[in-house]
Amino acid sequence: MDYEYAPLRLPPDVDRLTAAAQLAIQAEFSGWELARVRLFRDGTRQVVLRRRIARQPQPGLST
């Protein structure tokens, strides 16, 4: 399977609960899933989201 990736950087002032809520919204409405999270010493989070690349057109949409 092929995936597309979206790197995000969350600043240190974003708490864990807010970060989780933002990522849940992306997962629910855009089809992203969490691939990796790195927490740095300064509190910054580096997040990588991924989702499958749709190889076939969606039904009902013309190209």
Side-chain angles (χ1 to χ4, degrees), residues 20-31:
Q22 289 177 349
L23 295 174
I25 290 169
Q26 289 295 322
E28 181 71 25
F29 295 107
S30 299

Side-chain angles (χ1 to χ4, degrees), residues 1-52:
M1 283 187 263
D2 292 330
Y3 290 95
E4 62 179 320
Y5 293 89
L8 300 173
R9 204 157 186 79
L10 300 175
D13 62 337
V14 175
D15 64 356
R16 188 175 184 167
L17 186 60
T18 304
Q22 289 177 349
L23 295 174
I25 290 169
Q26 289 295 322
E28 181 71 25
F29 295 107
S30 299
W32 292 101
E33 63 184 32
L34 187 63
R36 180 180 21 227
V37 177
R38 290 180 63 189
L39 179 61
F40 294 96
R41 288 184 182 204
D42 67 351
T44 303
R45 287 179 180 85
Q46 181 182 15
V47 178
V48 178
L49 301 176
R50 73 177 185 179
R51 67 179 170 187
R52 289 184 184 159

